[in-house]
Amino acid sequence: KGEALSPTIHRLTTMVALATKAVRVSLLSTHLDSRRAKILAANDLKEGASLQLDLNKYPEVLWVLNSKKLLVLENLTNDPVMRRIVEQNKTISFNSMVIAPVFAGSQLIGVLSCRMPESKQSFSESELRFIQLSASTLSLLLSAKSKDAAELLTFTDSVAA
């Protein structure tokens, strides 16, 4: 499914990770009604690998899906909403993140999530612009009326909730 687009999307997530020094950059295809998501690509996943997520565990992604706006969280331990998540999950290896909406035309179809290392507590304007530009590039790529894009974004009954 979506095999022609998969290498391009994987390369783009890898490029964003290298340019921003992110711990993880992921493109998530989302289904808000069922609160499910599918990782289409991530810089630290094998190309073509796909993981399913329960969006109830990712309030930051839900916020972007509902608001359709860029979310910048700097220094999670100082953020009142995220602090409790960080305290509950001691395995979190990042401290700041940016989540950008990804559209197909006017429809929100997913997010680009960039998680930064623990040492990074803020973002420069150029980093934020680059992440937004990358999300826009993904939007253009996935907006193409191609069979590959449609297959890549399709949720099936096998997607775990």
Side-chain angles (χ1 to χ4, degrees), residues 78-114:
N78 288 340
D79 184 274
V81 174
M82 297 304 291
R83 182 182 324 123
R84 121 189 106 112
I85 293 169
V86 171
E87 289 169 358
Q88 291 172 359
N89 187 351
K90 299 296 182 190
T91 61
I92 290 177
S93 62
F94 57 92
N95 189 36
S96 298
M97 68 174 76
V98 177
I99 302 172
V102 175
F103 295 89
S106 62
Q107 180 183 0
L108 180 65
I109 58 170
V111 299
L112 180 65
S113 171
C114 303

Short mmCIF file of all heavy atoms in Angstrom, two decimals, residues 78-114:
data_model
loop_
_atom_site.label_atom_id
_atom_site.label_comp_id
_atom_site.label_asym_id
_atom_site.label_seq_id
_atom_site.Cartn_x
_atom_site.Cartn_y
_atom_site.Cartn_z
N ASN A 78 7.50 22.25 32.23
CA ASN A 78 6.91 23.51 32.66
C ASN A 78 5.49 23.71 32.12
O ASN A 78 4.83 24.67 32.48
CB ASN A 78 7.77 24.70 32.22
CG ASN A 78 9.05 24.78 33.02
OD1 ASN A 78 9.15 24.23 34.10
ND2 ASN A 78 10.04 25.46 32.48
N ASP A 79 5.03 22.80 31.25
CA ASP A 79 3.70 22.91 30.68
C ASP A 79 2.70 22.21 31.60
O ASP A 79 2.86 21.03 31.89
CB ASP A 79 3.67 22.28 29.28
CG ASP A 79 2.33 22.46 28.61
OD1 ASP A 79 1.44 21.62 28.85
OD2 ASP A 79 2.18 23.43 27.86
N PRO A 80 1.65 22.90 32.06
CA PRO A 80 0.74 22.30 33.03
C PRO A 80 0.03 21.03 32.54
O PRO A 80 -0.17 20.10 33.31
CB PRO A 80 -0.28 23.40 33.33
CG PRO A 80 -0.04 24.49 32.35
CD PRO A 80 1.29 24.26 31.71
N VAL A 81 -0.35 21.00 31.26
CA VAL A 81 -1.03 19.81 30.73
C VAL A 81 -0.05 18.65 30.54
O VAL A 81 -0.32 17.52 30.93
CB VAL A 81 -1.73 20.14 29.39
CG1 VAL A 81 -2.31 18.89 28.76
CG2 VAL A 81 -2.79 21.19 29.60
N MET A 82 1.10 18.96 29.96
CA MET A 82 2.05 17.89 29.63
C MET A 82 2.86 17.42 30.84
O MET A 82 3.34 16.30 30.86
CB MET A 82 2.99 18.34 28.51
CG MET A 82 2.27 18.64 27.21
SD MET A 82 1.30 17.25 26.58
CE MET A 82 2.59 16.12 26.13
N ARG A 83 3.01 18.26 31.85
CA ARG A 83 3.80 17.89 33.01
C ARG A 83 3.29 16.58 33.62
O ARG A 83 4.06 15.70 33.95
CB ARG A 83 3.78 18.99 34.07
CG ARG A 83 4.64 18.63 35.28
CD ARG A 83 4.62 19.67 36.39
NE ARG A 83 4.57 21.03 35.91
CZ ARG A 83 3.62 21.91 36.26
NH1 ARG A 83 2.67 21.58 37.09
NH2 ARG A 83 3.63 23.13 35.77
N ARG A 84 1.96 16.46 33.73
CA ARG A 84 1.42 15.24 34.35
C ARG A 84 1.69 14.02 33.48
O ARG A 84 1.94 12.94 34.00
CB ARG A 84 -0.03 15.51 34.68
CG ARG A 84 -1.06 14.70 34.13
CD ARG A 84 -2.42 15.28 34.42
NE ARG A 84 -2.87 15.82 33.17
CZ ARG A 84 -3.87 15.31 32.49
NH1 ARG A 84 -4.61 14.39 32.99
NH2 ARG A 84 -4.17 15.76 31.31
N ILE A 85 1.71 14.17 32.17
CA ILE A 85 2.03 13.05 31.28
C ILE A 85 3.49 12.66 31.44
O ILE A 85 3.82 11.48 31.52
CB ILE A 85 1.70 13.41 29.82
CG1 ILE A 85 0.19 13.57 29.68
CG2 ILE A 85 2.23 12.37 28.84
CD1 ILE A 85 -0.26 14.17 28.38
N VAL A 86 4.36 13.65 31.51
CA VAL A 86 5.79 13.38 31.70
C VAL A 86 6.01 12.66 33.03
O VAL A 86 6.78 11.71 33.12
CB VAL A 86 6.61 14.69 31.63
CG1 VAL A 86 8.05 14.46 32.03
CG2 VAL A 86 6.53 15.29 30.24
N GLU A 87 5.32 13.11 34.08
CA GLU A 87 5.47 12.49 35.40
C GLU A 87 4.98 11.05 35.40
O GLU A 87 5.55 10.19 36.07
CB GLU A 87 4.72 13.31 36.45
CG GLU A 87 5.40 14.63 36.76
CD GLU A 87 4.54 15.57 37.58
OE1 GLU A 87 3.37 15.23 37.90
OE2 GLU A 87 5.04 16.66 37.90
N GLN A 88 3.93 10.75 34.63
CA GLN A 88 3.37 9.40 34.57
C GLN A 88 4.22 8.47 33.72
O GLN A 88 4.22 7.27 33.92
CB GLN A 88 1.95 9.42 34.00
CG GLN A 88 0.95 10.05 34.93
CD GLN A 88 -0.40 10.23 34.26
OE1 GLN A 88 -0.59 9.91 33.09
NE2 GLN A 88 -1.35 10.76 35.01
N ASN A 89 4.94 9.01 32.76
CA ASN A 89 5.72 8.20 31.84
C ASN A 89 7.18 8.60 31.92
O ASN A 89 7.63 9.47 31.20
CB ASN A 89 5.18 8.36 30.42
CG ASN A 89 5.82 7.40 29.46
OD1 ASN A 89 6.79 6.72 29.78
ND2 ASN A 89 5.31 7.36 28.25
N LYS A 90 7.92 7.95 32.76
CA LYS A 90 9.33 8.29 32.99
C LYS A 90 10.23 7.89 31.81
O LYS A 90 11.38 8.25 31.78
CB LYS A 90 9.85 7.63 34.27
CG LYS A 90 9.10 8.06 35.52
CD LYS A 90 9.28 9.53 35.79
CE LYS A 90 8.58 9.93 37.07
NZ LYS A 90 8.51 11.34 37.27
N THR A 91 9.68 7.17 30.82
CA THR A 91 10.50 6.75 29.67
C THR A 91 10.53 7.80 28.57
O THR A 91 11.19 7.60 27.56
CB THR A 91 9.97 5.43 29.08
OG1 THR A 91 8.63 5.64 28.62
CG2 THR A 91 10.00 4.30 30.10
N ILE A 92 9.84 8.91 28.75
CA ILE A 92 9.84 9.97 27.72
C ILE A 92 11.26 10.51 27.60
O ILE A 92 11.86 10.92 28.58
CB ILE A 92 8.85 11.09 28.08
CG1 ILE A 92 7.42 10.57 27.95
CG2 ILE A 92 9.07 12.31 27.20
CD1 ILE A 92 6.35 11.57 28.33
N SER A 93 11.77 10.48 26.38
CA SER A 93 13.16 10.91 26.16
C SER A 93 13.22 12.21 25.37
O SER A 93 14.15 12.44 24.63
CB SER A 93 13.93 9.82 25.43
OG SER A 93 13.35 9.61 24.16
N PHE A 94 12.21 13.05 25.53
CA PHE A 94 12.21 14.34 24.85
C PHE A 94 11.63 15.37 25.80
O PHE A 94 10.98 15.04 26.78
CB PHE A 94 11.41 14.28 23.54
CG PHE A 94 9.99 13.85 23.72
CD1 PHE A 94 8.99 14.78 23.93
CD2 PHE A 94 9.65 12.52 23.69
CE1 PHE A 94 7.68 14.39 24.11
CE2 PHE A 94 8.34 12.10 23.87
CZ PHE A 94 7.36 13.04 24.08
N ASN A 95 11.90 16.63 25.54
CA ASN A 95 11.45 17.69 26.43
C ASN A 95 10.64 18.76 25.71
O ASN A 95 9.92 19.51 26.35
CB ASN A 95 12.65 18.33 27.13
CG ASN A 95 12.22 19.27 28.22
OD1 ASN A 95 11.23 19.04 28.90
ND2 ASN A 95 12.94 20.36 28.38
N SER A 96 10.75 18.84 24.40
CA SER A 96 10.02 19.83 23.62
C SER A 96 9.54 19.18 22.33
O SER A 96 10.15 18.21 21.87
CB SER A 96 10.93 21.01 23.29
OG SER A 96 11.35 21.65 24.48
N MET A 97 8.45 19.72 21.78
CA MET A 97 7.93 19.14 20.54
C MET A 97 7.18 20.18 19.73
O MET A 97 6.71 21.18 20.28
CB MET A 97 7.03 17.94 20.81
CG MET A 97 5.73 18.29 21.48
SD MET A 97 4.60 16.88 21.64
CE MET A 97 5.35 16.01 22.97
N VAL A 98 7.10 19.91 18.44
CA VAL A 98 6.29 20.70 17.52
C VAL A 98 5.42 19.71 16.77
O VAL A 98 5.91 18.68 16.30
CB VAL A 98 7.17 21.48 16.51
CG1 VAL A 98 6.30 22.23 15.52
CG2 VAL A 98 8.10 22.43 17.23
N ILE A 99 4.13 20.04 16.67
CA ILE A 99 3.21 19.20 15.92
C ILE A 99 2.49 20.10 14.92
O ILE A 99 1.86 21.08 15.30
CB ILE A 99 2.22 18.47 16.83
CG1 ILE A 99 3.00 17.63 17.84
CG2 ILE A 99 1.26 17.60 16.02
CD1 ILE A 99 2.17 17.02 18.91
N ALA A 100 2.64 19.75 13.65
CA ALA A 100 2.08 20.56 12.57
C ALA A 100 0.98 19.79 11.85
O ALA A 100 1.14 18.59 11.57
CB ALA A 100 3.17 20.94 11.57
N PRO A 101 -0.13 20.44 11.54
CA PRO A 101 -1.19 19.77 10.80
C PRO A 101 -0.77 19.50 9.35
O PRO A 101 -0.01 20.26 8.77
CB PRO A 101 -2.36 20.76 10.87
CG PRO A 101 -1.73 22.09 11.11
CD PRO A 101 -0.45 21.83 11.85
N VAL A 102 -1.29 18.41 8.81
CA VAL A 102 -1.05 18.05 7.41
C VAL A 102 -2.43 17.90 6.76
O VAL A 102 -3.29 17.18 7.27
CB VAL A 102 -0.24 16.74 7.30
CG1 VAL A 102 -0.10 16.30 5.85
CG2 VAL A 102 1.12 16.89 7.96
N PHE A 103 -2.60 18.61 5.65
CA PHE A 103 -3.90 18.65 4.97
C PHE A 103 -3.82 18.00 3.60
O PHE A 103 -2.76 17.95 2.99
CB PHE A 103 -4.34 20.11 4.77
CG PHE A 103 -4.59 20.85 6.05
CD1 PHE A 103 -3.56 21.54 6.69
CD2 PHE A 103 -5.85 20.88 6.60
CE1 PHE A 103 -3.79 22.23 7.86
CE2 PHE A 103 -6.09 21.57 7.78
CZ PHE A 103 -5.06 22.25 8.42
N ALA A 104 -4.98 17.53 3.13
CA ALA A 104 -5.16 17.14 1.73
C ALA A 104 -6.27 18.05 1.24
O ALA A 104 -7.42 17.87 1.61
CB ALA A 104 -5.54 15.67 1.60
N GLY A 105 -5.90 19.07 0.50
CA GLY A 105 -6.86 20.10 0.14
C GLY A 105 -7.24 20.84 1.41
O GLY A 105 -6.38 21.32 2.14
N SER A 106 -8.53 20.89 1.73
CA SER A 106 -8.96 21.56 2.96
C SER A 106 -9.20 20.58 4.11
O SER A 106 -9.54 20.99 5.20
CB SER A 106 -10.23 22.36 2.69
OG SER A 106 -11.27 21.47 2.29
N GLN A 107 -9.01 19.29 3.83
CA GLN A 107 -9.28 18.26 4.85
C GLN A 107 -8.01 17.94 5.64
O GLN A 107 -6.97 17.62 5.06
CB GLN A 107 -9.81 16.99 4.19
CG GLN A 107 -10.11 15.89 5.18
CD GLN A 107 -10.56 14.61 4.50
OE1 GLN A 107 -10.65 14.53 3.27
NE2 GLN A 107 -10.84 13.59 5.29
N LEU A 108 -8.10 17.99 6.96
CA LEU A 108 -6.99 17.61 7.82
C LEU A 108 -6.87 16.09 7.80
O LEU A 108 -7.83 15.37 8.10
CB LEU A 108 -7.25 18.10 9.26
CG LEU A 108 -6.17 17.77 10.27
CD1 LEU A 108 -4.87 18.49 9.94
CD2 LEU A 108 -6.63 18.18 11.66
N ILE A 109 -5.70 15.59 7.40
CA ILE A 109 -5.52 14.15 7.28
C ILE A 109 -4.49 13.58 8.24
O ILE A 109 -4.36 12.37 8.38
CB ILE A 109 -5.12 13.76 5.84
CG1 ILE A 109 -3.85 14.49 5.43
CG2 ILE A 109 -6.28 14.03 4.88
CD1 ILE A 109 -3.24 14.01 4.14
N GLY A 110 -3.75 14.45 8.92
CA GLY A 110 -2.74 13.95 9.83
C GLY A 110 -1.89 15.05 10.42
O GLY A 110 -2.23 16.23 10.31
N VAL A 111 -0.78 14.63 11.02
CA VAL A 111 0.14 15.58 11.65
C VAL A 111 1.58 15.15 11.41
O VAL A 111 1.87 13.97 11.23
CB VAL A 111 -0.11 15.73 13.17
CG1 VAL A 111 -1.50 16.24 13.47
CG2 VAL A 111 0.17 14.44 13.91
N LEU A 112 2.44 16.14 11.43
CA LEU A 112 3.88 15.92 11.44
C LEU A 112 4.33 16.22 12.86
O LEU A 112 4.15 17.34 13.34
CB LEU A 112 4.59 16.83 10.44
CG LEU A 112 6.11 16.67 10.36
CD1 LEU A 112 6.49 15.28 9.83
CD2 LEU A 112 6.71 17.76 9.48
N SER A 113 4.86 15.24 13.54
CA SER A 113 5.27 15.38 14.93
C SER A 113 6.79 15.36 15.03
O SER A 113 7.43 14.44 14.52
CB SER A 113 4.68 14.21 15.75
OG SER A 113 5.21 14.18 17.05
N CYS A 114 7.35 16.38 15.69
CA CYS A 114 8.80 16.50 15.86
C CYS A 114 9.10 16.57 17.35
O CYS A 114 8.74 17.55 18.01
CB CYS A 114 9.33 17.75 15.17
SG CYS A 114 8.94 17.82 13.42
#
